[in-house]
Amino acid sequence: SDDVSTLKVLRVVRLARLAKLLRIARAARVFRRLESAYNVNYSILKMFEFFVVTVIVNHWLACMWRMVESLEPRDMPTWINIAFPDYDNPAEDVF
């Protein structure tokens, strides 16, 4: 019975992921329509796309870098404590 309910939950999660992918595909269609409607220069569009992807990747890398620091033992000095001695992380109060 527990296995069946777990499988049902996993199916719901998969359906939610599929819905997200469909929204992304729909957004891509909207961007193509806007591109053709406003006659956007392809090179400018590609430069903007490169900029957005670069910002997103940098954000993810910063999140992972912070996650590595948070996995260290609390009594051990970390790079954040050394670089920013007065740093007080409000997220640590929550967790």
Side-chain angles (χ1 to χ4, degrees):
S1 177
D2 271 346
D3 293 336
V4 173
S5 63
T6 303
L7 288 175
K8 287 181 182 180
V9 169
L10 288 176
R11 272 193 196 149
V12 170
V13 170
R14 286 182 186 162
L15 283 174
R17 286 183 188 168
L18 182 61
K20 276 186 180 180
L21 287 175
L22 290 174
R23 277 190 279 158
I24 291 171
R26 187 173 47 198
R29 280 196 313 252
V30 169
F31 283 124
R32 276 194 299 256
R33 279 191 218 137
L34 288 173
E35 179 185 356
S36 63
Y38 291 108
N39 197 13
V40 176
N41 187 349
Y42 183 75
S43 61
I44 292 173
L45 183 66
K46 283 298 168 184
M47 288 288 286
F48 181 72
E49 180 182 336
F50 174 75
F51 175 74
V52 168
V53 168
T54 303
V55 168
I56 290 171
V57 168
N58 281 326
H59 174 75
W60 288 342
L61 288 173
C63 289
M64 286 187 276
W65 197 12
R66 175 62 175 98
M67 182 188 70
V68 167
E69 189 273 336
S70 70
L71 295 174
E72 293 290 330
R74 299 238 182 232
D75 57 346
M76 183 176 181
T78 62
W79 62 270
I80 290 181
N81 295 337
I82 293 169
F84 307 102
D86 298 329
Y87 178 76
D88 183 30
N89 186 5
E92 288 179 354
D93 297 336
V94 175
F95 301 112

